[in-house]
Amino acid sequence: MTEYVLHPRITENTDWATLLFLMCFATIAITKSVFENRFSDFANLLFSDKYNKVYRESSNLKNGFTIALFFVQVISLAFFIQLSLSIYGYGSKTDWMQYIQIIDFLLFFILAKVLVEKIIATSFHIEEFVEQFNHQKVTYRTYIGLILLPINMLFFYFDHISTVIPSIIIAIVIVANLITYSISIKNYQNLIFSKLFYFILYLCALEIAPYYFMYYWFTKGIA
């Protein structure tokens, strides 16, 4: 008599990720429809600096266009972090609890950084400089977040992704951020040189130290 042993079939729930991807693309589509001209200028950011020149007022950081794309950016970046950790063997790409932890950490990090920036800017009377400098940084980082979105889908729905691929993408993102810093410094060099001491303080306290400590904490945590 043949004896059969039944094993439970384990299926990974990916519905939450699919829903988030659909929400992101729906948000992009609605934003493109409502802000057609602005979205067109934003989409050409890689080839033209028109967007930064036209929408450089501080109020543009608080309107519906920026908030909607910031929402997409955070979701996309959190996905990329989780998928990279999964590829490197430090988690599961379908673990929605891990994703919530990552996105909570990102939101806390971003909001805390913005709050400290506001305090420093007000204390040293460099509000105009910080607002203009942040506007350009936020614009380019949002652009990078949107580019990462289809890459995240590829990573999520396909298995056996080589660890070389996310390493290359991370290197490209770092280089892109350095380039955006260079562009921002060039565009606001007169303002920077007039407040050079405060700019160096701002750069060390808010643009170098947080990422260094985050990297140190992360590498120590997985060691």
Side-chain angles (χ1 to χ4, degrees), residues 77 80 144 148 166-180:
L77 185 55
F80 182 75
I144 292 172
L148 286 176
S167 299
I168 293 174
I169 294 173
I170 291 170
I172 292 173
V173 169
I174 292 173
V175 171
N177 273 288
L178 291 175
I179 292 173
T180 60

Side-chain angles (χ1 to χ4, degrees), residues 20 26 49 55 62 72 78-79 87 104 108 112 126 146 156 160:
L20 284 178
D49 198 36
Y55 305 99
K62 304 172 184 176
V72 176
F79 259 122
I87 292 170
D104 284 346
F108 173 79
I126 53 173
L146 265 62
F156 190 84
H160 310 298

Side-chain angles (χ1 to χ4, degrees), residues 50-65:
K50 179 182 177 181
Y51 180 87
N52 286 322
K53 293 178 180 178
V54 174
Y55 305 99
R56 62 190 304 171
E57 292 83 5
S58 60
S59 58
N60 283 305
L61 284 171
K62 304 172 184 176
N63 63 17
F65 179 89

